[in-house]
Amino acid sequence: MFICSGFWTSNLQVHILKKRFHPRWLIMLKSTRTHIFVTGATGYIGGSAVSALLSHPRSDTFQITALIRSPDKVVLFNSVGVTPVIGTNSDFDTLTSLASEADVVLACANADDLCAARAILLGLKKRHEHTNTVPILIHTSGTGVLIDDAAGNYATDEIYSDLDIPMIESLPKTQPHREVDLEVIAADKEGYVRTYVILPSTIYGIANTPLVSLGVQNPYSKQIPRLIKASLDRKQGGVVGKGLNLWPNIHIDDVATLYISVFDAAMKGPDGTGHGREGYYFGENGEHRVGEISEVLAELLHEMKRAKNPEPTIFTDEELQKYFGGRWMGSNSRARAERAKLIGWNPVHTIDSLWASLKPEIEAMVEKQNA
C-alpha cells in the first residue's frame, strides 16, 4: 500500500491504475512520501530532530525509519509513527541498506565514526545509481572541530563563520570531527549525494520532547553535565586553567529548529541553500567564557551544600583525564552561524537561557545520583 493525495491505496486499486495511467504517473504517485532515515534517534540531538520532524507541517508525507539499539523501544517508536530497526552504528551492512532506501539521511550519532559515515555514503551512492536521483545527507559534526590548545589560559581572537569557506578549509585533518566532515564533503563533490553539515556548539537545556516523554530519548547534553558530574564527584566546582577560553552555545530546542531549517532548504533542491563545501551550518546563538560556567556552578553547588566553597578550584591534569578524557574543556571554539540564519533559522534562546539552565541541570544530576 502507498499514499495517494493523503489516502491509502490498495494493491487492487494499483492494478486498476496501472491499466488506466502511464507508468511515469505511477512513479510520481509512489514518490509522494519522503523516506527519512535517522541515526542517533534515541540521543539528545537525534531524538530532538526526530520530534521536530514529527511536528513538521508536512509530517504526514514523511516515512521515518530510525536505527535503535533496544528491542524494548520498538513498540514506543511505532506508537508515534516511526519505523524502528534494531542495530548499531557498527552494523555496516544495515546502515548501507537503510541509507540506500532513503531520500534523506539525518546522521545524528557519533560525529567521529568514519566507518559509519562511509556505510551511509555507500548506501546513498547505491540509491543514486538505482534511481538516478540525488539523495540528501544531513550530517552532524560540531564546533569541536575548531578547538585549540588554550588550556583555559587565554581567549582567542579567531572566530569562524559558516560563510567563510576558505577559513574552514584551513582546518587540519587532525582536528576532531574533521576527517569525517571531509569524507562527507568529498561525496557531495562526486555528485551522487547533496551533503549538509550541521555543527552544534555547547548544547544546553534538558530536552522536553514527545520521545523523552515516551522514555526513548536521552534528555541530557554532554559538556555541562560532565562538568557538573566532575564537580559533584570532587565535592567542589572545578575550572580548567584560568577559565578564560570562549565557546558558543545553543539551546537544544534551537538545535532542533536548525535541523528543520536545513532540511526544508535542502528539500527545495540543489539551489535551496549551500551544500558540499558550502554546506556548513554552525549551531550557535551566543557565546560564553567557560570559566564563568564553572564559577556559577561552584556557587550553586555551594548553596546546595554540595561543594566546600563557592569558588571553583583548578582541575589537575589527572582530573582532566579522568573526567573529560583530556584538556579540551579548556579550548577555545568561536563560531558565528551566519549561513544558518540566512536560510531563515531563527534561534530564540539567548545567553540568559544558558545561565537559567544550570540549576535544573544540577538538580537533575543529583536526582540521578540519588536514584
Side-chain angles (χ1 to χ4, degrees), residues 136-350:
I136 292 165
L137 170 60
I138 300 176
H139 172 74
T140 305
S141 178
T143 62
V145 73
L146 311 177
I147 64 171
D148 60 16
D149 58 357
N153 294 321
Y154 60 86
T156 184
D157 293 328
E158 195 166 50
I159 303 175
Y160 290 78
S161 164
D162 49 15
L163 289 174
D164 191 338
I165 303 307
M167 189 174 184
I168 295 174
E169 289 182 335
S170 72
L171 291 165
K173 191 176 182 178
T174 53
Q175 288 290 97
H177 317 323
R178 186 64 177 154
E179 187 175 18
V180 179
D181 291 355
L182 289 172
E183 194 100 359
V184 169
I185 301 306
D188 184 284
K189 187 175 182 180
E190 288 187 42
Y192 66 84
V193 60
R194 278 191 281 124
T195 65
Y196 306 80
V197 179
I198 293 180
L199 303 93
S201 51
T202 299
I203 312 177
Y204 64 90
I206 299 172
N208 181 19
T209 71
L211 296 188
V212 169
S213 298
L214 283 175
V216 299
Q217 178 192 346
N218 166 37
Y220 303 107
S221 185
K222 290 184 177 180
Q223 284 171 278
I224 292 174
R226 275 190 185 182
L227 191 56
I228 295 170
K229 185 176 180 180
S231 299
L232 286 169
D233 188 62
R234 69 202 293 266
K235 297 179 174 57
Q236 179 58 55
V239 63
V240 183
K242 297 178 181 178
L244 298 176
N245 53 307
L246 301 171
W247 267 72
N249 52 72
I250 180 173
H251 192 279
I252 183 59
D253 291 348
D254 289 330
V255 173
T257 60
L258 175 57
Y259 277 87
I260 296 302
S261 293
V262 173
F263 172 83
D264 285 343
M267 290 297 289
K268 293 177 182 178
D271 299 325
T273 185
H275 58 91
R277 71 181 292 266
E278 295 184 350
Y280 293 95
Y281 298 84
F282 287 137
E284 64 81 24
N285 193 41
E287 187 177 65
H288 62 274
R289 180 172 61 83
V290 179
E292 189 172 0
I293 290 184
S294 293
E295 292 159 9
V296 174
L297 288 177
E299 188 173 341
L300 289 169
L301 287 165
H302 184 258
E303 289 176 2
M304 298 168 69
K305 302 188 186 313
R306 294 279 176 168
K308 299 169 186 175
N309 65 66
E311 300 294 330
T313 58
I314 298 174
F315 286 114
T316 65
D317 287 342
E318 291 76 16
E319 285 178 323
L320 289 174
Q321 190 61 42
K322 175 183 178 180
Y323 296 123
F324 310 110
R327 301 199 303 175
W328 59 267
M329 278 290 290
S331 64
N332 288 286
S333 173
R334 305 190 68 186
R336 298 291 182 267
E338 295 176 313
R339 183 184 302 276
K341 290 174 182 176
L342 280 177
I343 64 172
W345 178 54
N346 183 31
V348 298
H349 295 274
T350 65

Side-chain angles (χ1 to χ4, degrees), residues 2-4 9 13-32:
F2 60 92
I3 288 285
C4 174
T9 305
Q13 287 170 313
V14 170
H15 178 73
I16 296 171
L17 288 169
K18 282 181 178 179
K19 289 187 174 183
R20 294 185 180 179
F21 297 99
H22 192 277
R24 183 175 297 176
W25 186 90
L26 286 173
I27 293 173
M28 292 175 62
L29 186 65
K30 291 180 181 179
S31 67
T32 55

